[in-house]
Amino acid sequence: MRNSSPSQDSWIHTYHNLLPLWESLSLSLHQSKIPISISRVNQVDAARLDVEMSGMLKEQLVKVFSLMKPGMLFQYEAELDAFLEFLIWRFSIWVDKPTPGIGLMNLRYRDERAVESRDKVRTGLEGPGLTVAQKIWYCVATVGGQYFWARLQSFSAFRRWGDTEQRPLARRLWSLIQRIEGIYKAASFGNLLIFLCTGRYRNLIERALRARLVYGSPNMNRAVSFEYMNRQLVWNEFSEMLLLLLPLLNSSSVKNLLRPFSKDKSSSSAEDDTLCPICQASPTTPFVALPCQHRYCYYCLRTRCAAAPSFRCSRCSEPVVAMQRHGGVSTE
């Protein structure tokens, strides 16, 4: 049996059939997008670091004017914040550089409109920066918008537009301000949910300008480690918890709770008739709590009963239902 080789025409025919498939495959590989997800944590940390940087600059600037008339700088706090925000914008975004927080997170702003028109993004780093119009609108929204809104709120609160005695026009303006603020907060919350799902546009300003944060360098990690940020977050949350709980703790109630475990009971019983259990001083206007008959200063006992109707005696923890002048008539 003799083997038959394919003819020359069959090779040419096969080549012409496979050539369009090869060209389409190579073109798709050349223009395909490699999905690059920008870390949401980096973007949120960048915003937090920018706030901290602005606060540090404000603190140093306040120290410069510490010798001036007290309270004078407080009147121009909104202008001071706007000035610092303008300086950060002028020496970062306006000259095509990232803000301090964005730079520490290895991020930069990119014009997403130009990238979508080109459709050739492969590594997440391609694409031009913001245009001049985007930079100007960014300054108007972040610096001018925040300054205008802060001044409007302070002016309306000072003029008491929300009071019922004001004119109908003032009340309408106040309700309009409250409505605009509510709509903005609702829109910001919705944008936050979208950002958590897609990882694009941290706030409404970035979404309106189509200014997206992307990585600035492929071979550089974030300059601030997660360990440092975790320590900062834990400490901030712990301090906020203490500031929330400390005013709720009553020193007298804590003393009453720990009194049964105290070993020195004889000295405390000896002081029952001589010192007020609240201020630990000899009562100048002695009153007694009923029905336990323990002696207090009038002002100490009166303020405690007025602040808490269910006030208990600081010595025996019995509810105080009335107070009586030492050797006089009881009062409710």
Side-chain angles (χ1 to χ4, degrees), residues 3 10 52 144 175 189 194 199 231 266 290 296:
N3 294 330
S10 61
E52 295 293 336
S175 62
F189 179 73
I194 298 175
R231 287 201 302 266
S266 58
L290 299 179
Y296 290 82

Side-chain angles (χ1 to χ4, degrees), residues 42 98 100-108 125 214-224:
N42 285 14
I102 293 176
L104 288 173
M105 295 296 108
N106 184 30
L107 298 172
R108 71 175 181 91
L125 304 180
V214 296
Y215 290 124
S217 174
N219 301 320
M220 176 182 173
N221 295 325
R222 45 186 282 153
V224 181

Side-chain angles (χ1 to χ4, degrees), residues 268-284:
S268 62
S269 60
E271 294 177 354
D272 286 349
D273 296 333
T274 58
L275 299 178
C276 172
I278 296 177
C279 64
Q280 299 298 322
S282 179
T284 55

Side-chain angles (χ1 to χ4, degrees), residues 224-235:
V224 181
S225 64
F226 283 105
E227 183 180 359
Y228 171 77
M229 296 297 296
N230 289 336
R231 287 201 302 266
Q232 289 295 111
L233 290 174
V234 170
W235 175 250

